[in-house]
Amino acid sequence: MDLDDDKRAKRRKTQTEDDDDDDHHHHQPQPTAMETLPNEIIVDILSRLPITSLVQFKFVCKRWRALTQDPVLADMHLSWKADGNDPCLILHCDFPIRNQLYFLDLSAHNQDKDKVKRLYVPFQASMPEFDVVGSCNGLLCLSDSLYNDALYVHNPFTMDCIELPKSRQYSDQELVFGFGFHPKTKEYKVVKIVYYRNTSSYSRARRTVYPQSDVQIYTLGSSSWRSLGKVSYQFVRRPSEALVNGRLHWVSRPRRYHPARRLISFDLADEQFREVPKPDCGGLNRCNFHLSVLGGCLAAAVYGNYGKLEIWVMKCYNVNESWVKQFTIGAYMPKCLKLNLDRHRPLKIWKTGSNGKVVRVLCLLNSGEVLLEYKNRVLVSYDPKNGKFRDLVFQGLPNWFQTVVHTGSLNWLNTLH
């Protein structure tokens, strides 16, 4: 009997162990479909998501967070966004002070009722007011608008941010900035053109003249700024308005013996200034025009009489004959601006606004419409097929803003320095 009892006890123990093993396998979490896919397929799927979804995606688990930091995903996401997708917009709110950034996603997939979202600015304590120098591959370059001594490069979606080293300052100076990336060198650079004068110099001119200049360059990832010496052009005091083919572009100021304005490029690879041929429209010698990028091409928006706007596009870069007058846009007054105008005031709106401009050409939308900004207050789309305007109204839009055409990206700055 004792032997039989011992055998039965052993059988019960073996059965219990088998049941425990079954329970262990039964309760062990099964891998999800996402976890069983190869990394390259996951990266391809994620690269097609909007930036707002990717930002939320990284908080799910450690593995997914690591994926969002993969430079391959950042590159694929950028290339997919650049291929026939509407950009997102960064709205720099400049009233009452220039210290707020908003995000507006115009893409068709965004069905969110609240399309306008305020962005967190991590360096606001150290730089309470700032200007937007430029946007490139998801990165913003921002400059101190009060003291001119601080520069930051910031990804507003990853919250990644670096402060650039200090560069040489002059006691009496005027600054012109540029920020961009060259596809061949794979380098991001900040260009700071300093026009300055000696404090002892005196001029009777109505506008302060800065006879001396210093071109300073900073390459992201380097330890300090470099000086390229003087520049022979006087640029309008505003950041570069167009980055095309790895070249920044500015408009020159008329000079005493050279009254014609010029289009000047700066190649971020060889760091040389060059003159770019202008469209043959006769209006570029006046101040009422600006540059933009339409469909990846350099464009010039020229203001004519009675509020007419001509948009010229250089189809083949640096080829004079390739300039084409692609759009002619008539005068238009957005509804909300009409309400703010005195009824008895003459319709002389084309000489007001920032830099003498009322309307600014932003970009081409995927639908073929032209996106415009009116008086830093209203976004308007223009359909060249039927000549109709459409005011774009969004809940939460700030009252005064400057629009920056942006590409939401996971570009991480820690790979650049």
Side-chain angles (χ1 to χ4, degrees):
M1 285 294 293
D2 291 343
L3 185 61
D4 291 339
D5 289 342
D6 185 50
K7 289 182 178 178
R8 283 194 293 268
K10 286 183 178 180
R11 282 199 298 268
R12 283 196 299 269
K13 182 179 179 181
T14 304
Q15 182 66 37
T16 303
E17 290 176 350
D18 291 342
D19 291 342
D20 288 343
D21 288 342
D22 291 342
D23 289 342
H24 174 72
H25 290 298
H26 179 72
H27 293 294
Q28 192 173 20
Q30 297 297 313
T32 63
M34 192 74 169
E35 291 172 327
T36 59
L37 288 175
N39 258 25
E40 55 269 21
I41 295 180
I42 296 176
V43 168
D44 183 65
I45 294 171
L46 296 181
S47 68
R48 302 168 190 272
L49 295 178
I51 185 62
T52 48
S53 299
L54 282 177
V55 170
Q56 295 171 349
F57 176 89
K58 72 178 184 179
F59 294 110
V60 174
C61 63
K62 289 184 178 180
R63 186 197 178 200
W64 290 12
R65 183 179 181 84
L67 277 173
T68 61
Q69 299 179 26
D70 187 343
V72 175
L73 174 58
D75 290 342
M76 287 183 65
H77 186 259
L78 270 176
S79 62
W80 187 81
K81 288 290 290 182
D83 185 20
N85 288 276
D86 286 334
C88 68
L89 303 177
I90 298 293
L91 307 177
H92 179 208
C93 183
D94 57 2
F95 183 83
I97 59 175
R98 288 179 276 186
N99 71 345
Q100 296 176 23
L101 294 176
Y102 291 82
F103 160 64
L104 172 59
D105 189 358
L106 293 177
S107 54
H109 61 71
N110 184 6
Q111 302 299 323
D112 194 348
K113 182 180 178 181
D114 299 324
K115 287 180 176 284
V116 180
K117 295 179 175 62
R118 185 170 175 176
L119 294 168
Y120 173 69
V121 181
F123 45 82
Q124 206 159 55
S126 58
M127 196 168 70
E129 290 195 44
F130 54 83
D131 293 317
V132 179
V133 171
S135 167
C136 180
N137 293 344
L139 303 179
L140 289 175
C141 183
L142 307 166
S143 68
D144 189 332
S145 61
L146 293 179
Y147 305 107
N148 295 323
D149 63 346
L151 278 166
Y152 287 83
V153 175
H154 170 52
N155 186 325
F157 294 103
T158 65
M159 300 300 171
D160 207 12
C161 173
I162 58 170
E163 182 178 4
L164 305 190
K166 297 292 190 290
S167 60
R168 183 177 179 181
Q169 299 285 318
Y170 297 87
S171 58
D172 190 0
Q173 64 181 17
E174 184 176 88
L175 303 178
V176 175
F177 286 104
F179 172 61
F181 173 81
H182 200 288
K184 289 185 178 178
T185 63
K186 306 293 183 185
E187 291 179 327
Y188 290 87
K189 294 182 180 181
V190 180
V191 181
K192 181 179 179 181
I193 304 171
V194 185
Y195 297 104
Y196 66 97
R197 62 175 182 168
N198 298 325
T199 53
S200 59
S201 63
Y202 176 77
S203 174
R204 289 188 172 185
R206 288 182 297 174
R207 182 178 63 81
T208 304
V209 177
Y210 296 92
Q212 301 178 72
S213 62
D214 182 20
V215 180
Q216 301 174 10
I217 305 293
Y218 178 77
T219 303
L220 262 64
S222 64
S223 59
S224 61
W225 291 76
R226 295 177 288 111
S227 174
L228 300 183
K230 300 179 181 179
V231 61
S232 58
Y233 306 101
Q234 285 277 344
F235 295 133
V236 176
R237 189 184 175 183
R238 58 178 183 254
S240 167
E241 296 175 310
L243 173 65
V244 179
N245 288 0
R247 295 185 180 186
L248 297 168
H249 296 80
W250 292 272
V251 178
S252 72
R253 279 176 170 162
R255 305 181 72 173
R256 189 173 210 177
Y257 301 107
H258 303 282
R261 291 178 180 268
R262 301 177 182 181
L263 301 186
I264 305 299
S265 72
F266 179 81
D267 194 316
L268 291 170
D270 63 20
E271 299 181 348
Q272 296 293 317
F273 288 97
R274 295 179 177 87
E275 188 169 350
V276 178
K278 299 184 298 186
D280 188 21
C281 58
L284 295 193
N285 291 336
R286 303 191 299 271
C287 63
N288 54 348
F289 78 100
H290 66 275
L291 303 177
S292 63
V293 180
L294 295 182
C297 298
L298 181 64
V302 185
Y303 302 92
N305 296 326
Y306 308 107
K308 185 176 71 172
L309 183 69
E310 292 182 352
I311 302 177
W312 292 72
V313 177
M314 182 183 267
K315 296 291 187 178
C316 184
Y317 186 76
N318 216 27
V319 177
N320 191 16
E321 294 76 18
S322 71
W323 279 108
V324 176
K325 183 167 67 174
Q326 189 160 342
F327 304 105
T328 300
I329 301 176
Y332 176 70
M333 176 70 75
K335 293 177 182 177
C336 70
L337 294 184
K338 286 182 182 179
L339 298 175
N340 295 328
L341 282 177
D342 184 356
R343 293 182 180 180
H344 303 289
R345 180 182 172 189
L347 192 62
K348 292 181 179 179
I349 65 167
W350 292 94
K351 293 185 179 179
T352 60
S354 62
N355 296 320
K357 304 189 297 288
V358 162
V359 58
R360 193 161 64 96
V361 177
L362 298 176
C363 62
L364 278 179
L365 298 177
N366 199 30
S367 62
E369 296 174 306
V370 183
L371 186 63
L372 308 167
E373 176 197 278
Y374 280 78
K375 292 189 74 173
N376 299 109
R377 297 195 66 184
V378 188
L379 293 172
V380 175
S381 65
Y382 170 76
D383 190 342
K385 297 175 184 177
N386 54 28
K388 290 185 178 181
F389 296 85
R390 181 167 56 96
D391 294 2
L392 303 181
V393 181
F394 301 100
Q395 184 178 349
L397 202 68
N399 291 329
W400 296 87
F401 55 86
Q402 180 185 16
T403 307
V404 180
V405 179
H406 188 72
T407 302
S409 164
L410 290 175
N411 223 338
W412 281 73
L413 292 169
N414 58 6
T415 63
L416 306 175
H417 65 281

